[in-house]
Amino acid sequence: MELNASQQRTLCALADRIIPADEFPSASELGALSFATDLFSTDLASAGGAVVAGLDSLHGEAHAIGGTEFAELTQEQQDALIQDLLQGNTRAEWKTSAATFLRLMIAVVNEGYYADPDNGGNAEGVSWKMVGFEVREGMRLLPEGVTV
Amino acid sequence: MSITPNHNHFDAIIVGSGPGGGITAGLLCDAGFRVLVLERGQDRTYDEIGRDHLRNQRISQYGHNGGPDIEGNPRVVELDPRKPGEMSVVKPHQGGYSNNAAIYGGGARVYGAQAWRFMEQDFRMASTYGVPEGSSLADWPLSYQELEPFYEKAECEIGVCGSAATNTNRAWRKSEYPMPALPATKAHKTLKRGAEALGWNTFPTPLAINSVEYGGRAACVQCQHCVGFACPSDSKNGVHNTLLPRAIATELCTVITGAMCETVDTDGRGRVTGVSYLVESGGSVTRHRATARAVVVSAGAIETARLMFNSHTDVHPNGLGNHSGVLGRHLQGHVYSGALGLFEEPVWDSIGPGVSISTSQFNHGNAGIVGGGMLSDEFIKTPVIFWHRCFPADVPRWGLAAKEWMRHAYTRTIHVIGPIQDIPNPECRVQIDRGVRDKFGIPVARLSGAVHSESLRTGEFMFENARTWLRASGAVRIWGDKPGLHLSAGQHQAGTCRMGTDPATSVTDPFGRVHGHDNLRVIDASTHVTNGGFNPVLTVMALAFRNASALAAELNQL
């Protein structure tokens, strides 16, 4: 999947509303852009075209409500737009369902963020530290009554 | 692994290197027989199986770590049981495929290793409960008593840890487990308090995992990647690290991986002569034939039935063992039922494999219920599984609220769940679809049907029991869904070559001999008449020890 600069900005902004920054990083800060572009170029290549079209439609929606691109809307406007689109309310032209596109992006961004770092969307396992899942090897409790 | 045989005649050919086939190989080689094991999957190392959180046997969003390859191995599946006859072609990582890992060692290479004995009533379900309308519930043609010594053998030779002494609802047994139970987790202690308040008996979950050094291999390192992955310390026990190496050490066992069996071959009278198989290597496919005194099919309930159908001849136009139309029917696995509970304080201590406490309080003796089920706490969930499967319906799946839920709930949630005793019906079935072929051109499996209404009723009953247990243990919020209508098969797939004494209603006799074919055996969960309210692998293993011993005793006469 090839994205132009505008589509990349839209994807990053969308990913960062799906998983915003707080005291832990946002989705794009952990690698959402490269995770998603890799996935839509390989395992989900069949959805790549629809995703590019969806990002363009999201751009169109932003223009319809704010006269600017999605990344330039306020966070409140972005959230309200996502919510609206999930309910099927559209202003711009969509080749496939806006809700379907957003549900797919929500799943993919979360998959990248919470999967293993080797998948590319969870740099240094930061999300694992955030939730408490830490990979610990070679340390063990002994069964009751067993001593070394 | 690919060892080219320098001869093509064997005492026995075994199709499939999972628990059934691996144990059979071990016992036949112990007895001095020359054996060929054909495995369609590859022998993958720990590193090759890897720790990909999006492509593993527990969650296969975009692929698998245990095979089969997602391209070239389709099945045809009735995805919505409410729309019978509406078939879809699905890949191994997609919903409805009912995949069990295709790899050297079988599903046990990447399983969670719960190692349960069935209870006495599980072998005589029809006598105990009657036969619900529309079901094919029946008794096994053998009793728990007959299988007990082989359960013990399986526990000792494969290696199982547990504490039989603390389980008050189990079948009788001669001996304690060969290894003590793994240590109790924080979730275990939390749930134990709840069960005690309810007056329910609990005990440590029996696992085919080394809790201490055993069989020359190390104790479990209690990592967080058990179910769905391979073991970093080789402490998770299957046939790949027990019976198969033992068979290979005799130099009587030839194993060929990447070898897909196309047909079990028979002569004009129907006597089994050997197998035809295909091997893909370096992009080219070669066809082979091997002969033997006996053939053992241990390919798992779906692939075993598929092979028997695909081995049809003029003499057996509907497939081998299908004289009465029973082949492929009574497909069953386990309906899973359970609930999730949120606790005020963390209940997580990162001690793998995660599953630690169980109750058999509700496996039998439930008023108005046919059978019942077991409940345990769940294996450690990867965070991405938690995101996909553990959100209450009203928690948003995106935005700060979703992130905060992940952060708050991941270490405070216990999932209580277990398999219920499926009530089999003949319409759940494997057939073959001649219109859809795998990469070798072999007709693929076609799956259809849906679980019996009694299975769903038991599912609702166990859903309420799971909620009760979580509430009594201090959960402040409980959620989850009752099981819905679906085809139950999956990794616990069973039943497609039902055993029995009457050839009119069964495919094999009580020792897995296919009726009408003395030298063709089925040794895997296909022969299970019913599948218990427990993970079935130890029963597969016990039956394999029993039936492979019988085969070894008579192989010279075949």
Side-chain angles (χ1 to χ4, degrees):
Chain A
M1 184 176 71
E2 298 274 325
L3 298 182
N4 63 33
S6 158
Q7 289 158 346
Q8 287 190 22
R9 285 195 299 274
T10 301
L11 176 55
C12 272
L14 175 60
D16 286 350
R17 292 325 296 158
I18 293 170
I19 305 181
D22 49 11
E23 61 267 44
F24 288 91
S26 70
S28 74
E29 287 165 345
L30 288 194
L33 182 61
S34 63
F35 171 77
T37 47
D38 282 356
L39 192 67
F40 288 120
S41 305
T42 54
D43 295 315
L44 278 183
S46 59
V51 168
V52 174
L55 291 170
D56 287 342
S57 297
L58 190 56
H59 184 86
E61 293 283 345
H63 269 278
I65 56 170
T68 182
E69 63 177 273
F70 183 77
E72 297 301 322
L73 297 178
T74 66
Q75 291 180 352
E76 290 70 25
Q77 285 175 312
Q78 290 170 338
D79 286 353
L81 178 55
I82 293 169
Q83 198 65 264
D84 219 23
L85 294 174
L86 280 168
Q87 284 161 10
N89 304 319
T90 57
R91 297 143 206 86
E93 194 176 321
W94 287 80
K95 285 182 186 154
T96 50
S97 145
T100 303
F101 164 76
L102 283 170
R103 282 197 298 267
L104 173 66
M105 296 311 294
I106 289 168
V108 164
V109 168
N110 276 283
E111 283 172 357
Y113 195 82
Y114 292 113
D116 54 297
D118 285 350
N119 265 296
N122 178 19
E124 294 171 23
V126 167
S127 80
W128 290 359
K129 295 187 182 83
M130 177 184 86
V131 302
F133 175 84
E134 293 175 52
V135 179
R136 174 188 55 74
E137 305 278 9
M139 211 179 87
R140 52 183 293 268
L141 295 181
L142 294 171
E144 210 173 313
V146 172
T147 50
V148 175
Chain B
M1 183 177 307
S2 183
I3 304 163
T4 308
N6 53 14
H7 47 68
N8 63 1
H9 184 75
F10 298 85
D11 292 313
I13 297 167
I14 300 167
V15 182
S17 70
I23 288 168
T24 304
L27 296 193
L28 293 183
C29 291
D30 283 351
F33 293 110
R34 288 216 330 271
V35 170
L36 171 66
V37 177
L38 299 176
E39 168 55 55
R40 70 178 170 136
Q42 300 296 334
D43 182 15
R44 297 187 190 179
T45 64
Y46 168 75
D47 287 329
E48 286 165 345
I49 291 170
R51 285 186 167 183
D52 189 329
H53 281 212
L54 298 174
R55 297 166 193 82
N56 60 72
Q57 187 64 35
R58 202 63 167 173
I59 184 166
S60 54
Q61 291 300 96
Y62 308 111
H64 266 303
N65 55 359
D69 292 343
I70 63 173
E71 298 302 334
N73 295 288
R75 283 178 182 159
V76 178
V77 177
E78 193 177 81
L79 281 178
D80 183 352
R82 287 165 207 81
K83 296 176 184 164
E86 197 175 300
M87 309 305 290
S88 305
V89 178
V90 299
K91 295 179 181 180
H93 66 302
Q94 294 175 327
Y97 189 90
S98 276
N99 191 44
N100 199 358
I103 189 170
Y104 178 66
R109 192 82 175 86
V110 290
Y111 68 170
Q114 290 193 35
W116 292 89
R117 293 186 182 201
F118 288 180
M119 291 165 69
E120 287 142 302
Q121 301 95 311
D122 295 326
F123 295 85
R124 39 184 171 81
M125 286 295 293
S127 300
T128 307
Y129 295 100
V131 181
E133 196 181 335
S135 83
S136 47
L137 197 63
D139 292 352
W140 282 44
L142 66 148
S143 64
Y144 174 80
Q145 179 139 356
E146 285 172 75
L147 206 52
E148 200 280 339
F150 300 99
Y151 271 129
E152 184 179 20
K153 205 168 176 54
E155 287 167 350
C156 291
E157 295 213 17
I158 304 292
V160 177
C161 71
S163 167
T166 50
N167 177 1
T168 60
N169 295 301
R170 62 178 168 79
W172 65 273
R173 50 185 295 147
K174 286 201 205 75
S175 60
E176 187 45 273
Y177 290 101
M179 288 181 274
L182 281 163
T185 61
K186 196 179 268 191
H188 179 133
K189 290 168 191 162
T190 305
L191 289 169
K192 191 174 170 72
R193 281 194 296 275
E196 278 167 2
L198 293 164
W200 297 2
N201 171 253
T202 60
F203 51 91
T205 309
L207 295 158
I209 290 176
N210 286 358
S211 62
V212 292
E213 190 182 317
Y214 189 84
R217 285 174 293 104
C220 169
V221 294
Q222 298 158 5
C223 79
Q224 299 78 35
H225 290 82
C226 195
V227 70
F229 300 95
C231 178
S233 53
D234 200 17
S235 314
K236 182 159 71 177
N237 304 325
V239 289
H240 66 284
N241 54 9
T242 56
L243 275 288
L244 280 169
R246 184 164 114 196
I248 290 165
T250 64
E251 300 188 354
L252 293 167
C253 183
T254 301
V255 179
I256 306 178
T257 54
M260 181 69 190
C261 190
E262 183 175 28
T263 52
V264 173
D265 301 324
T266 46
D267 65 16
R269 291 170 300 125
R271 184 173 168 76
V272 169
T273 56
V275 301
S276 296
Y277 63 98
L278 297 140
V279 179
E280 190 184 23
S281 178
S284 67
V285 174
T286 49
R287 185 178 293 269
H288 306 263
R289 203 179 125 61
T291 56
R293 289 169 183 271
V295 170
V296 179
V297 186
S298 304
I302 294 172
E303 292 296 313
T304 287
R306 177 187 174 205
L307 176 57
M308 302 275 275
F309 279 118
N310 278 329
S311 302
H312 62 87
T313 65
D314 290 346
V315 185
H316 303 96
N318 301 316
L320 298 181
N322 198 23
H323 45 277
S324 53
V326 179
L327 179 64
R329 293 189 182 271
H330 319 300
L331 174 63
Q332 58 197 294
H334 281 122
V335 171
Y336 267 76
S337 188
L340 297 114
L342 182 73
F343 293 76
E344 278 180 346
E345 296 300 321
V347 285
W348 156 265
D349 50 16
S350 83
I351 295 172
V355 59
S356 180
I357 186 171
S358 301
T359 181
S360 276
Q361 195 78 27
F362 303 103
N363 276 88
H364 289 285
N366 307 300
I369 296 291
V370 182
M374 171 271 283
L375 287 174
S376 300
D377 59 334
E378 241 290 56
F379 291 95
I380 286 179
K381 288 181 205 301
T382 57
V384 77
I385 288 182
F386 197 85
W387 184 82
H388 263 290
R389 300 174 185 164
C390 300
F391 273 49
D394 63 347
V395 174
R397 306 190 67 86
W398 63 281
L400 273 181
K403 192 180 184 186
E404 281 160 8
W405 171 261
M406 285 294 296
R407 195 152 64 213
H408 180 74
Y410 185 75
T411 54
R412 289 177 177 80
T413 299
I414 296 178
H415 192 181
V416 165
I417 192 166
I420 63 120
Q421 171 104 242
D422 274 15
I423 305 306
N425 77 73
E427 298 312 314
C428 290
R429 63 193 295 202
V430 178
Q431 295 169 279
I432 53 165
D433 193 316
R434 293 180 203 282
V436 180
R437 309 281 171 131
D438 68 9
K439 62 185 173 186
F440 297 111
I442 306 171
V444 304
R446 178 188 196 275
L447 311 180
S448 57
V451 295
H452 192 272
S453 56
E454 287 295 336
S455 298
L456 294 181
R457 220 156 61 81
T458 310
E460 282 192 33
F461 171 66
M462 294 308 293
F463 172 72
E464 292 304 332
N465 289 332
R467 292 169 61 86
T468 299
W469 194 2
L470 288 163
R471 200 176 300 116
S473 303
V476 292
R477 175 171 192 180
I478 296 168
W479 69 102
D481 295 316
K482 297 173 200 174
L485 195 66
H486 65 291
L487 176 67
S488 163
Q491 291 159 78
H492 293 187
Q493 56 187 262
T496 57
C497 300
R498 175 174 271 203
M499 61 178 150
T501 49
D502 181 359
T505 56
S506 56
V507 173
T508 82
D509 81 356
F511 282 89
R513 298 179 189 97
V514 177
H515 294 302
H517 305 275
D518 260 5
N519 64 338
L520 176 60
R521 307 293 161 99
V522 176
I523 300 188
D524 64 18
S526 305
T527 63
H528 291 190
V529 177
T530 51
N531 212 22
F534 301 99
N535 307 53
V537 73
L538 192 74
T539 300
V540 173
M541 291 170 169
L543 262 185
F545 275 106
R546 173 181 179 269
N547 295 352
S549 301
L551 175 60
E554 62 195 84
L555 188 51
N556 273 326
Q557 281 77 54
L558 289 173

